[in-house]
Amino acid sequence: METTTYKIYSAISQLPDSWDEVAYDNAFLQTYYLKVLEESAPTNMQCFYIGIFKKSELIGVALAQYLNLNKLESFGERDKCFKTYARNFVFKNFASHALFLGNNMITGQNGYVFNKKIDLKTVAELLNECAKEITAYFKKQNIKIHIVSFKDFYQNCAVELKKSSFSEMYEFNTQPNMIFELDKNWKTNDDYVASFSKKYRDQYKRAHKKFEGITTRELSLEEILSNEERIYELYHHVARNAPFNTFFLAKNHFSSFKKQCGNRFILIGYFLNNELVGFHTLLLNGTTLETYFLGYDEQIQKEKMLYLNMLYNMTKYGIENQFKEIIFGRTALEIKSSIGAEPVLMSGFIYHNNKLIDKYFDKIFPKLEPTLVWQQRHPFK
């Protein structure tokens, strides 16, 4: 730690010139994506950008996000039960000011990246120190950070982090990340469909039959801007009906993404009788295809199996453009497994700044997490 230091920035314009060279392996830490956050982050979010130095050389970059949950219109409206009301009460009163070391908007280990070898013990100490400094920054503004969370680590990293300064924190595993490792022998979508067992080939055919009448096309920046209200309406419907939310995107988020990222960001519109009834988005991240937010008209989704067809279309794009894997993220685990994605367990670490609450966090946290029961599907022969 003697020669490894960090600096916290609050604006993209302050970042070192070599930032993108260090962040080369992760699109979600490169400046073009960070500018999207700066321009169109959720209204209850503030981002911080962390540079990590070996002597004077930038060797690592990281992201932190502060969320004020008091500004949320809703935590999610799908589940109406006592446990949900109790959870919402607890979050409003005891966890409304949250600090995430990592990216709370996406699934995956996207919180930091290094271009030089560094041991995870040092990484844990640095992230901890950054969290303390940002917490102190808010304290000066009379804002008390309730919870601090270090988000989304694959299991090999989590095991090592637990041996260091993370050992006293509560480790949690929420819904797994659904990842589809594409078979390198698949050259076309027909190869993919041919690999299904009969049951799932029939599902594919049935979904495509239902899909008749829907047309799809990639939208340009101009088209995204002209359809911005409708795109947001479709996104917002899906977001409000999620089991739990800590943010809602800004209305200009998708147009900002397209403006900053160009061809690396793709928004596919779904049309029925020339009316936009759904969309999905993708980010090209090296050999990884990242699925991003989507939206749809609920009635059309039921009639046309819109969501399942979106998953098939994302997979087709991944195969035809020779990506190695598709990150489908959390939620809708069963239907994602039915098209070939598999669950990958991810860990987070969390603590509460109230010592009494933190002492019993291992008892409290599981009661706040929405219960999920699902069956993994195995669609291939």
Side-chain angles (χ1 to χ4, degrees):
M1 284 287 286
E2 300 81 39
T3 57
T4 308
T5 58
Y6 67 88
K7 186 171 182 181
I8 299 172
Y9 306 92
S10 57
I12 305 298
S13 60
Q14 301 168 349
L15 301 184
D17 293 338
S18 58
W19 184 282
D20 281 341
E21 293 173 32
V22 176
Y24 180 80
D25 286 336
N26 194 311
F28 288 112
L29 287 165
Q30 292 168 25
T31 53
Y32 69 81
Y33 173 75
L34 299 181
K35 284 177 182 175
V36 177
L37 296 184
E38 191 167 72
E39 284 184 359
S40 62
T43 54
N44 68 326
M45 177 183 288
Q46 183 177 346
C47 293
F48 297 88
Y49 318 102
I50 301 162
I52 298 163
F53 299 84
K54 194 81 169 178
K55 295 183 179 175
S56 60
E57 180 190 3
L58 184 71
I59 63 163
V61 300
L63 176 67
Q65 295 173 331
Y66 160 69
L67 283 168
N68 182 351
L69 301 185
N70 288 318
K71 291 185 177 180
L72 273 188
E73 58 187 272
S74 163
F75 283 116
E77 298 177 2
R78 191 191 73 182
D79 301 330
K80 307 281 188 182
C81 62
F82 177 76
K83 183 175 180 179
T84 301
Y85 291 122
R87 179 201 66 195
N88 293 353
F89 175 82
V90 170
F91 270 96
K92 278 285 188 185
N93 292 278
F94 302 103
S96 59
H97 297 287
L99 177 63
F100 291 89
L101 274 290
N103 192 331
N104 191 48
M105 298 172 67
I106 54 176
T107 304
Q109 193 165 302
N110 298 298
Y112 65 86
V113 68
F114 290 85
N115 68 349
K116 295 283 175 72
K117 190 172 177 59
I118 187 168
D119 63 277
L120 285 170
K121 180 175 184 291
T122 303
V123 172
E125 290 173 3
L126 286 164
L127 294 178
N128 247 323
E129 289 303 312
C130 291
K132 289 173 184 174
E133 184 171 322
I134 297 171
T135 299
Y137 164 82
F138 280 105
K139 188 175 181 181
K140 288 177 183 175
Q141 301 180 55
N142 294 317
I143 296 172
K144 183 178 181 180
I145 299 294
H146 294 121
I147 60 171
V148 176
S149 179
F150 301 84
K151 186 177 178 289
D152 280 359
F153 299 98
Y154 291 112
Q155 290 306 289
N156 60 329
C157 288
V159 167
E160 292 302 311
L161 290 167
K162 279 190 288 188
K163 296 176 183 176
S164 61
S165 56
F166 281 24
S167 61
E168 299 301 312
M169 297 180 205
Y170 175 67
E171 180 185 3
F172 63 94
N173 308 107
T174 53
Q175 295 182 24
N177 190 3
M178 298 302 289
I179 300 178
F180 196 170
E181 300 282 349
L182 298 177
D183 190 322
K184 62 179 182 296
N185 295 315
W186 294 338
K187 305 302 179 187
T188 67
N189 194 59
D190 288 342
D191 295 334
Y192 163 63
V193 176
S195 67
F196 282 137
S197 65
K198 183 181 184 305
K199 175 182 176 180
Y200 290 95
R201 198 160 53 250
D202 289 345
Q203 173 184 279
Y204 180 88
K205 290 176 182 176
R206 186 169 64 254
H208 270 58
K209 180 73 174 171
K210 289 272 192 179
F211 198 58
E212 288 177 0
I214 301 287
T215 58
T216 66
R217 71 169 188 271
E218 182 180 346
L219 301 193
S220 65
L221 173 59
E222 291 72 24
E223 288 175 307
I224 293 172
L225 285 165
S226 64
N227 287 281
E228 196 151 69
E229 289 288 334
R230 178 59 173 163
I231 289 170
Y232 189 78
E233 180 185 348
L234 295 169
Y235 152 74
H236 197 245
H237 165 76
V238 173
R240 283 181 70 93
N241 284 281
F244 186 62
N245 280 311
T246 54
F247 65 88
F248 288 95
L249 296 177
K251 203 164 277 188
N252 68 329
H253 186 77
F254 299 106
S255 59
S256 174
F257 216 137
K258 187 64 176 176
K259 183 172 68 175
Q260 291 295 342
C261 302
N263 293 334
R264 289 170 292 194
F265 176 74
I266 294 169
L267 189 149
I268 303 294
Y270 290 68
F271 295 85
L272 180 62
N273 300 324
N274 294 318
E275 180 189 359
L276 184 66
V277 294
F279 74 92
H280 76 255
T281 53
L282 300 167
L283 180 67
L284 284 51
N285 189 5
T287 59
T288 297
L289 184 62
E290 305 269 0
T291 66
Y292 201 59
F293 293 95
L294 55 75
Y296 49 70
D297 179 294
E298 181 62 38
Q299 189 60 39
I300 304 301
Q301 134 66 15
K302 288 177 180 175
E303 291 174 8
K304 299 291 186 178
M305 298 178 74
L306 209 54
Y307 182 66
L308 181 56
N309 277 294
M310 286 180 179
L311 295 177
Y312 285 135
N313 288 344
M314 294 177 207
T315 302
K316 180 182 178 183
Y317 185 93
I319 293 167
E320 292 180 346
N321 291 277
Q322 300 182 314
F323 286 91
K324 289 184 178 178
E325 64 179 2
I326 305 174
I327 307 295
F328 279 109
R330 297 187 171 100
T331 71
L333 308 182
E334 193 161 322
I335 194 171
K336 287 173 181 174
S337 75
S338 80
I339 61 102
E342 297 194 349
V344 175
L345 191 65
M346 305 207 74
S347 288
F349 296 87
I350 192 168
Y351 65 84
H352 200 288
N353 276 315
N354 181 306
K355 298 299 181 188
L356 181 61
I357 295 175
D358 191 59
K359 184 179 178 181
Y360 296 101
F361 221 41
D362 60 334
K363 305 286 193 303
I364 298 168
F365 190 89
K367 291 180 168 51
L368 301 177
E369 181 65 19
T371 303
L372 181 73
V373 179
W374 71 289
Q375 181 179 350
Q376 184 178 353
R377 303 297 179 177
H378 303 280
F380 300 116
K381 294 174 185 172

